[in-house]
Amino acid sequence: MALWTLHGDGRRVQDGAMVAPEERLNWFLTIGFGVQHVMVMFGATMLVPLFTGFPPTTTLFFSGFGTLLFLLITRNRVPSYLGSSFAFVAPLTAALMQNVPMAARVGGVLVAGILMVVIGIAVKALGARLLESLMPPVVTGAVVIVIGLNLSRHATTPFQSQPSLAVVTFLTILFVGVVLRGMPSRAAVLVGLLVGWVLAAYNGELHPVRLERVAMEPWFGLPDFHTPEFRPEVVIAVLPAVVVLVAENVGHLKAVAAVTGRDLDGSAGDVLIGNGLATTLAGLGGGSATTTYAENIGVMTATRMYSTAAHVVAALVAILLSFSPKLGAMINTVPAGVVGGASLVLYGLIGLVGVRIWLDAKIDLTDPVNLMVGGAALVAGIGELQLKLGDVELGGIAWGTIVIVVLHPLLRWLRSLTHRSEQPATKRPGSRETRQPGAKDKGGQDTAEGTSAG
């Protein structure tokens, strides 16, 4: 990995200036920024193993190790921390509820990582526009909505099991996230969990067996590693989450490019390969799938500190924390009601991210292909359609994804064959933006084609 050049005197940053990815401040300040990144990502990264039954310290270990690998693959051009991906919560939680062994769940993560690497290699070879044609916003938005709202019953069930704890956790998250400002609002979920957790401890509602394990576990020890096993039903169930991982990584790349003022489209393939390798590594050892984190983009934007040196520090700190079995046992004592209160917010947010993808891309919901195929995909996913494909039974997320990914481009193509004479305007699939041949703008110049992808 390339060394960083010192920004100025290493102690000060002029107003309006930024510390570039290849730069750093002095190590004392850099370590401080790195620890801040750990604090921001920690709550969300630890939530995923809490929901899915994965070992927390193992997830933390591969989160840190995956970040180092990502920075190496992207050659220090794309500052990022890789935390646990919430896209995998639904299929992995469903597998946990069905008593699928850990090895099989880890195998699903491994396959997802390998597929991400393959997609990254294809994008690197053929260009970033390959993603726009294969997964336009109308498709990625629908998949994200399905994943978020399919989880709803996994929020309401634990919520109902301990309603008082769930309500306190839920209201705390809303108050901190909506009313407060700055760093506390970014850590709203973590604050809500801590408040609910402390209240449960005060009321004596923590699970006694789990408390005993905290006392028994040592402060220092190796993470709990697992070898993967492959089961078709688990592999197929996690594949829709790959669509979300690709969308998250490309979105992160665009966000970093915007705030740093650099053209990073050429790094799209490297970003996907880096995250794919990090997820593959996690799948080989028992960690959760990884993804880029919006929380860490928020920290970089607020501080204008884009140095990848800070992310290397964050990764090393996470790896050190992963060697504490007592920490993992403590996290496992969070009561179901507290998890339910947090889930009610988180799962809804995931679903609305998909809605935002549609809004940002100006998806035309009067278009019959978008309207009918998208609607059917949402109902199949949210309604938890259960059907067998051969000997493998697929759930709602898988079927919702299949409907939108397979039928949308097929019906879009068939409609173009039968409605050519009715389309005088050039229109990109799924978008409201059109260009009339020969149309002029207010200045009399030829208008450019709409840029919203569909």
Side-chain angles (χ1 to χ4, degrees):
M1 185 175 291
L3 297 176
W4 301 272
T5 58
L6 197 64
H7 178 89
D9 62 2
R11 293 177 294 175
R12 301 178 187 86
V13 181
Q14 294 182 350
D15 291 342
M18 72 173 186
V19 180
E22 67 278 4
E23 297 178 327
R24 67 169 178 85
L25 299 179
N26 64 46
W27 283 113
F28 178 78
L29 292 175
T30 298
I31 290 172
F33 281 111
V35 172
Q36 181 178 232
H37 277 297
V38 173
M39 293 173 64
V40 169
M41 71 82 195
F42 192 85
T45 293
M46 290 294 94
L47 278 177
V48 174
L50 186 64
F51 294 152
T52 59
F54 275 54
T57 54
T58 310
T59 293
L60 193 59
F61 174 83
F62 284 110
S63 170
F65 207 91
T67 297
L68 294 177
L69 183 60
F70 178 90
L71 294 173
L72 179 65
I73 297 297
T74 57
R75 291 167 289 178
N76 268 354
R77 294 176 180 174
V78 187
S80 179
Y81 188 91
L82 300 188
S84 302
S85 172
F86 278 83
F88 288 76
V89 169
L92 294 180
T93 300
L96 176 65
M97 298 300 177
Q98 296 166 8
N99 296 317
V100 174
M102 173 63 71
R105 284 179 276 150
V106 170
V109 172
L110 174 58
V111 172
I114 293 172
L115 182 57
M116 276 283 289
V117 173
V118 172
I119 294 172
I121 293 173
V123 170
K124 193 173 179 63
L126 302 176
R129 291 192 65 85
L130 174 67
L131 290 176
E132 296 181 17
S133 59
L134 292 179
M135 290 186 296
V138 67
V139 171
T140 56
V143 172
V144 174
I145 294 171
V146 165
I147 286 178
L149 299 187
N150 177 272
L151 290 165
S152 56
R153 68 191 184 283
H154 295 304
T156 54
T157 300
F159 194 106
Q160 293 165 174
S161 68
Q162 293 177 304
S164 59
L165 287 176
V167 169
V168 170
T169 304
F170 172 68
L171 293 180
T172 301
I173 293 173
L174 291 185
F175 177 81
V176 175
V178 175
V179 179
L180 300 187
R181 300 175 62 184
M183 193 58 66
S185 68
R186 294 185 182 277
V189 174
L190 180 59
V191 173
L193 283 169
L194 289 174
V195 170
W197 199 2
V198 170
L199 178 63
Y202 179 79
N203 293 336
E205 297 182 73
L206 298 182
H207 199 289
V209 175
R210 294 180 178 179
L211 283 176
E212 290 177 6
R213 184 177 177 186
V214 174
M216 294 171 57
E217 291 287 358
W219 279 105
F220 302 101
L222 290 174
D224 186 13
F225 296 111
H226 294 268
T227 54
E229 168 191 317
F230 301 105
R231 291 194 181 183
E233 64 272 19
V234 178
V235 171
I236 295 175
V238 302
L239 290 183
V242 176
V243 177
V244 183
L245 280 190
V246 172
E248 287 176 339
N249 278 263
V250 173
H252 176 87
L253 184 71
K254 300 272 185 195
V256 171
V259 295
T260 58
R262 298 182 175 186
D263 182 3
L264 296 176
D265 284 352
S267 297
D270 290 334
V271 166
L272 296 175
I273 292 171
N275 196 8
L277 287 174
T279 297
T280 301
L281 186 66
L284 286 171
S288 298
T290 60
T291 189
T292 51
Y293 260 32
E295 292 92 331
N296 296 93
I297 294 180
V299 171
M300 289 188 286
T301 304
T303 61
R304 296 186 63 77
M305 172 76 169
Y306 302 103
S307 172
T308 54
H311 292 87
V312 169
V313 170
L316 294 175
V317 170
I319 291 172
L320 286 175
L321 290 174
S322 71
F323 287 93
S324 176
K326 192 177 287 291
L327 173 65
M330 289 175 63
I331 294 171
N332 200 37
T333 64
V334 178
V338 176
V339 175
S343 301
L344 204 67
V345 178
L346 287 172
Y347 297 164
L349 286 176
I350 295 172
L352 290 179
V353 166
V355 175
R356 191 178 71 184
I357 291 173
W358 280 3
L359 292 175
D360 289 346
K362 297 182 175 63
I363 300 302
D364 184 3
L365 293 182
T366 64
D367 184 311
V369 179
N370 295 337
L371 188 65
M372 299 175 72
V373 178
L378 295 186
V379 172
I382 298 169
E384 190 56 21
L385 178 65
Q386 296 276 350
L387 291 174
K388 282 190 174 182
L389 190 63
D391 295 329
V392 179
E393 185 171 13
L394 303 182
I397 292 180
W399 283 116
T401 302
I402 289 171
V403 168
I404 190 72
V405 170
V406 175
L407 293 185
H408 186 274
L410 176 61
L411 291 176
R412 173 69 61 198
W413 174 69
L414 290 175
R415 182 173 172 80
S416 69
L417 295 179
T418 58
H419 290 70
R420 281 178 179 170
S421 61
E422 301 176 15
Q423 295 180 350
T426 301
K427 186 172 183 178
R428 299 182 69 177
S431 172
R432 284 197 182 114
E433 298 193 18
T434 60
R435 173 173 61 86
Q436 299 291 343
K440 305 287 184 180
D441 63 15
K442 290 182 180 180
Q445 300 297 319
D446 290 338
T447 57
E449 184 180 352
T451 56
S452 293

